[in-house]
Amino acid sequence: MSKRDYYEVLGLSKGASKDEIKKAYRKLARQYHPDVNNEPGADEKFKEISEAYEVLSDDEKKAHYDQFGHVDPNQGFGGGFTSDFGGFGGFEDIFSSFFGGGTRRTDPNGPRKGSDLEYTMTINFEEAAFGGEKEVQVTKEENCENCHGSGAKPGTSQETCSTCKGSGQVTIEQSTPFGRIVNRRTCTTCKGSGKMIKEKCTVCRGRGRIDKKTTLKIKIPAGVDNGQQIRLAGKGEAGMNGGPAGDLYVAFRVKPHEIFVREDDDVYLDMPITFVQAALGSEIEVPTLEGKVMLKIPAGTQTGTKFRLRGKGIQNVHGRGKGDQHVIVKVVVPKKLSSKQKELLREFNEVDTTADSSFFQKIRNWKK
C-alpha cells in the first residue's frame, strides 16, 4: 500500500510553516497516543503521524520530500520505470542490448551490509527529560554459529552453481529483426548467490542465518522528545559474506505526564489557587521536574495569569540550554460553603466596589 502524503497525514497544505507543522503534530499526537487512545488502529495512526512529523520538521528532509515525495531519487528512475523494463532484465540488460556490451555487475558473493532495524521504546516523561539507560531485547538475524554463516552442514562446503557457473546470472540470447538481443537475469537455481548447498545445516536449514534475541543497553538522551530517534551504528542485522552489520534506529514514544505538558523544551502546569490567595496574594508551593519551589502570587491575581520559572523546563537534547516552566494559575471557586463562609461573603459583597468599575457599568447599561 502506498504511503499517504505527509501533509495530508497532519491535515496541512504544502508549504505549511514550521510552527503550523509542530502544532498539528502535537494536536494529533495527543489524540492518537496509544496510552490515551485504545481504539483499533490508533497505534498505527500514531506511527504515521510521528513519521510525517519527523520528515516535515527537519529542513533537509522536508526539502527532499517536497521535491521528490516518497520516491527516493537514488533508486532507479524516480519510480517511473518497472524493474523488468517490459521484458528486459534491468538497466544492465537494456544497456547491453543496444550497445552490444556487458556492464560490470556486483559480485553476488561479495560483502554486503546487513539490514537496518527499527525499535520503538516507550519511556515516561521523566526519563525523556533527564535521560537514562534501559535494557531491551531485539530480535535480529545473526550468522548461524553451527555453520558459521555458510548454510552448509559442518564438514561440507558450498559448491559453485552448475547453472550460472558462479556468476549468479544467466544469459538469454534472442534473435530479432533488430539484431541479436542479450538479456541477463538472476539465476533461478541459486537465486543469484552463485553457490549451491547439497547438504544443508540442520540448525539454519541452509539459510546461514538464524533469528536471535539480543539484549542491548540503550542510552536515552536527556531532553529527547516524542517521535525522535537515535541511530546505533552496527547494532542492526549481521552483514553477508563478511560485510558490516546494519544499524539500529531507536524511536522514542513518551508517555503523557499526569500534570505537566511539554512544548519543545518548556513545561506547562495548571496550578489551582483559592479565591483568597488570588485576592490577598500569597506564596504557594509549586511542583517542578526537579522538586518543589515557592512562587509568589501578587494580590489581585486573575485566573489564567501565567508565571515563568526560568530554567525549570527540560534540557535541550542537542545541549542548547534548558527550557522554562510556565505556571498558569486557576482560581478555584468552592462548590460547598459553610454558613459562616456564606455570611462573610455576603458582607464582602456589600462593601465590594468591583461592580462600580467601568466594565460592569457598560454591561449593566447595554441595550439590545
mmCIF file of all heavy atoms in Angstrom, residues 352-361 364:
data_model
loop_
_atom_site.group_PDB
_atom_site.id
_atom_site.type_symbol
_atom_site.label_atom_id
_atom_site.label_comp_id
_atom_site.label_asym_id
_atom_site.label_seq_id
_atom_site.Cartn_x
_atom_site.Cartn_y
_atom_site.Cartn_z
ATOM 1 N N ASP A 352 -18.060 45.440 48.416
ATOM 2 C CA ASP A 352 -17.229 45.266 47.225
ATOM 3 C C ASP A 352 -17.515 46.383 46.225
ATOM 4 O O ASP A 352 -18.665 46.673 45.909
ATOM 5 C CB ASP A 352 -17.528 43.901 46.589
ATOM 6 C CG ASP A 352 -16.617 43.635 45.399
ATOM 7 O OD1 ASP A 352 -15.549 44.265 45.322
ATOM 8 O OD2 ASP A 352 -16.989 42.794 44.565
ATOM 9 N N THR A 353 -16.478 47.002 45.703
ATOM 10 C CA THR A 353 -16.624 48.110 44.737
ATOM 11 C C THR A 353 -16.362 47.661 43.308
ATOM 12 O O THR A 353 -16.352 48.476 42.381
ATOM 13 C CB THR A 353 -15.645 49.247 45.096
ATOM 14 O OG1 THR A 353 -14.299 48.716 45.069
ATOM 15 C CG2 THR A 353 -15.953 49.823 46.474
ATOM 16 N N THR A 354 -16.145 46.356 43.118
ATOM 17 C CA THR A 354 -15.846 45.849 41.768
ATOM 18 C C THR A 354 -16.965 46.164 40.796
ATOM 19 O O THR A 354 -16.737 46.531 39.636
ATOM 20 C CB THR A 354 -15.626 44.321 41.819
ATOM 21 O OG1 THR A 354 -14.616 44.031 42.784
ATOM 22 C CG2 THR A 354 -15.206 43.798 40.447
ATOM 23 N N ALA A 355 -18.209 46.044 41.282
ATOM 24 C CA ALA A 355 -19.358 46.255 40.400
ATOM 25 C C ALA A 355 -19.464 47.701 39.906
ATOM 26 O O ALA A 355 -20.196 47.989 38.969
ATOM 27 C CB ALA A 355 -20.645 45.858 41.113
ATOM 28 N N ASP A 356 -18.757 48.631 40.559
ATOM 29 C CA ASP A 356 -18.796 50.034 40.148
ATOM 30 C C ASP A 356 -17.792 50.338 39.029
ATOM 31 O O ASP A 356 -17.705 51.471 38.573
ATOM 32 C CB ASP A 356 -18.499 50.946 41.347
ATOM 33 C CG ASP A 356 -19.592 50.808 42.420
ATOM 34 O OD1 ASP A 356 -20.753 50.541 42.043
ATOM 35 O OD2 ASP A 356 -19.261 50.958 43.606
ATOM 36 N N SER A 357 -17.016 49.322 38.627
ATOM 37 C CA SER A 357 -15.992 49.567 37.596
ATOM 38 C C SER A 357 -16.657 49.888 36.270
ATOM 39 O O SER A 357 -17.822 49.582 36.035
ATOM 40 C CB SER A 357 -15.101 48.328 37.443
ATOM 41 O OG SER A 357 -15.840 47.270 36.887
ATOM 42 N N SER A 358 -15.894 50.535 35.394
ATOM 43 C CA SER A 358 -16.433 50.953 34.096
ATOM 44 C C SER A 358 -16.913 49.759 33.275
ATOM 45 O O SER A 358 -17.901 49.846 32.543
ATOM 46 C CB SER A 358 -15.365 51.723 33.315
ATOM 47 O OG SER A 358 -14.217 50.920 33.118
ATOM 48 N N PHE A 359 -16.208 48.622 33.404
ATOM 49 C CA PHE A 359 -16.607 47.443 32.642
ATOM 50 C C PHE A 359 -17.991 46.964 33.063
ATOM 51 O O PHE A 359 -18.849 46.692 32.222
ATOM 52 C CB PHE A 359 -15.578 46.323 32.844
ATOM 53 C CG PHE A 359 -15.957 45.035 32.167
ATOM 54 C CD1 PHE A 359 -15.833 44.891 30.793
ATOM 55 C CD2 PHE A 359 -16.444 43.978 32.913
ATOM 56 C CE1 PHE A 359 -16.187 43.699 30.172
ATOM 57 C CE2 PHE A 359 -16.804 42.800 32.300
ATOM 58 C CZ PHE A 359 -16.676 42.651 30.930
ATOM 59 N N PHE A 360 -18.201 46.862 34.374
ATOM 60 C CA PHE A 360 -19.504 46.410 34.856
ATOM 61 C C PHE A 360 -20.594 47.411 34.495
ATOM 62 O O PHE A 360 -21.735 47.034 34.213
ATOM 63 C CB PHE A 360 -19.450 46.180 36.373
ATOM 64 C CG PHE A 360 -18.901 44.827 36.748
ATOM 65 C CD1 PHE A 360 -17.547 44.658 37.001
ATOM 66 C CD2 PHE A 360 -19.750 43.735 36.850
ATOM 67 C CE1 PHE A 360 -17.048 43.409 37.349
ATOM 68 C CE2 PHE A 360 -19.254 42.490 37.196
ATOM 69 C CZ PHE A 360 -17.891 42.327 37.450
ATOM 70 N N GLN A 361 -20.250 48.674 34.518
ATOM 71 C CA GLN A 361 -21.237 49.697 34.151
ATOM 72 C C GLN A 361 -21.637 49.556 32.682
ATOM 73 O O GLN A 361 -22.815 49.707 32.336
ATOM 74 C CB GLN A 361 -20.658 51.101 34.412
ATOM 75 C CG GLN A 361 -20.527 51.464 35.890
ATOM 76 C CD GLN A 361 -21.881 51.515 36.592
ATOM 77 O OE1 GLN A 361 -22.923 51.783 35.969
ATOM 78 N NE2 GLN A 361 -21.885 51.250 37.902
ATOM 79 N N ARG A 364 -24.029 46.667 32.437
ATOM 80 C CA ARG A 364 -25.322 46.987 33.053
ATOM 81 C C ARG A 364 -26.148 47.928 32.157
ATOM 82 O O ARG A 364 -27.372 47.820 32.084
ATOM 83 C CB ARG A 364 -25.081 47.611 34.427
ATOM 84 C CG ARG A 364 -26.367 47.794 35.249
ATOM 85 C CD ARG A 364 -26.082 48.368 36.637
ATOM 86 N NE ARG A 364 -25.341 47.424 37.455
ATOM 87 C CZ ARG A 364 -24.152 47.649 37.966
ATOM 88 N NH1 ARG A 364 -23.533 48.792 37.718
ATOM 89 N NH2 ARG A 364 -23.545 46.742 38.706
#
